[in-house]
C-alpha cells in the first residue's frame, strides 16, 4: 500500500488559505458590484475618491453633469482633482468654483447643500463629505443634487406671497 499524505501536512493549510482568499475575493467583487449598481441608480451626481485623490467610484450622472467624455469605469484610478474641475462655460463662476474645491479638499470638513449655479441656469447643491475612520483620513465623497425645479417653485411661492 502506498503511503498517503500525512495528516496535518502543509497541503491542508494551503488549501484552507486559498479557499479563504477566494472567499474574500468573491466578497469584495460582490460589494463592488453592489456599489456600482447603487451608484448607477442614484439621481445625484456622485464621485468618491481615496486619500491619495484617486477616483474609487463615480456614476454616469456625474460624467453627464460635467460633460466628461470618459465613462465611470474609465475614471476609476484617475486623479479626482482633474475630474472635479468643470469645463469652461459650465458653471457661472469657474474661478470661485475651483477655489472652493481647493479649500474643501485642504480643510477636509463636511459641507452640505452649498449652492452651485451652472451657466445654463440649472442650480445644484454640492455636498462634500470627508471619509475618516479610526486610522485617519480615507478620502471623500462629492455629491451634486439638481435642485433647479425646487428653486423655481420656491421663487414662484415667494412671488405669490409678496403679491398678497
Amino acid at each position: 500500500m502506498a503511503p498517503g499524505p500525512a495528516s496535518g501536512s502543509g497541503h491542508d493549510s494551503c488549501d484552507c488559505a486559498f479557499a479563504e482568499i477566494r472567499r474574500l475575493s468573491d466578497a469584495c467583487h460582490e460589494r463592488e458590484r453592489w456599489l456600482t449598481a447603487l451608484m448607477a441608480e442614484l439621481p445625484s451626481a456622485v464621485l468618491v475618491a481615496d486619500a491619495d485623490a484617486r477616483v474609487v467610484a463615480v456614476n454616469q450622472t456625474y460624467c453627464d453633469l460635467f460633460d466628461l467624455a470618459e465613462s465611470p469605469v474609465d475614471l476609476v484610478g484617475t486623479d479626482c482633482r482633474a475630474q472635479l474641475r468643470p469645463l469652461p462655460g459650465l458653471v457661472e463662476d469657474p474661478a470661485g468654483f475651483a477655489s472652493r474645491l481647493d479649500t474643501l479638499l485642504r480643510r477636509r470638513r463636511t459641507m452640505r447643500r452649498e449652492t452651485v449655479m451652472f451657466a445654463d441656469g440649472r442650480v445644484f447643491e454640492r455636498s462634500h463629505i470627508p471619509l475618516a475612520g479610526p486610522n485617519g483620513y480615507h478620502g471623500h465623497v462629492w455629491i451634486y443634487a439638481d435642485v433647479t425645479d425646487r428653486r423655481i417653485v420656491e421663487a414662484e411661492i415667494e412671488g405669490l406671497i409678496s403679491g398678497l
Side-chain angles (χ1 to χ4, degrees):
M1 219 153 86
S7 178
S9 72
H11 295 298
D12 290 340
S13 63
C14 283
D15 289 343
C16 287
F18 286 130
E20 180 64 8
I21 290 169
R22 178 59 179 214
R23 186 187 69 74
L24 292 172
S25 176
D26 289 347
C28 285
H29 285 106
E30 181 59 28
R31 284 196 176 180
E32 184 178 348
R33 284 190 293 274
W34 179 83
L35 177 61
T36 301
L38 172 67
M39 295 276 292
E41 294 302 320
L42 290 173
S44 298
V46 181
L47 183 141
V48 181
D50 65 16
D52 296 321
R54 298 282 168 210
V55 175
V56 174
V58 60
N59 63 4
Q60 186 62 49
T61 306
Y62 187 94
C63 296
D64 295 344
L65 175 62
F66 288 100
D67 289 336
L68 302 176
E70 299 88 354
S71 72
V73 172
D74 295 332
L75 294 175
V76 172
T78 63
D79 188 329
C80 77
R81 292 168 289 211
Q83 312 317 325
L84 292 171
R85 302 286 190 264
L87 294 172
L90 194 62
V91 296
E92 277 190 2
D93 179 13
F97 188 95
S99 173
R100 183 67 174 143
L101 287 176
D102 291 338
T103 299
L104 291 169
L105 283 169
R106 190 175 57 258
R107 291 187 180 162
R108 296 181 179 169
R109 300 239 195 298
T110 298
M111 181 275 310
R112 298 186 196 278
R113 300 176 58 183
E114 179 177 68
T115 299
V116 177
M117 302 297 293
F118 275 62
D120 63 4
R122 292 179 296 162
V123 182
F124 285 81
E125 289 180 343
R126 171 176 53 204
S127 295
H128 170 255
I129 304 161
L131 303 173
N135 298 327
Y137 177 70
H138 297 286
H140 52 260
V141 178
W142 296 93
I143 303 169
Y144 289 82
D146 188 343
V147 295
T148 307
D149 292 340
R150 187 183 83 210
R151 293 290 179 98
I152 291 170
V153 169
E154 287 171 353
E156 289 173 355
I157 290 171
E158 284 180 24
L160 289 172
I161 291 172
S162 67
L164 294 177

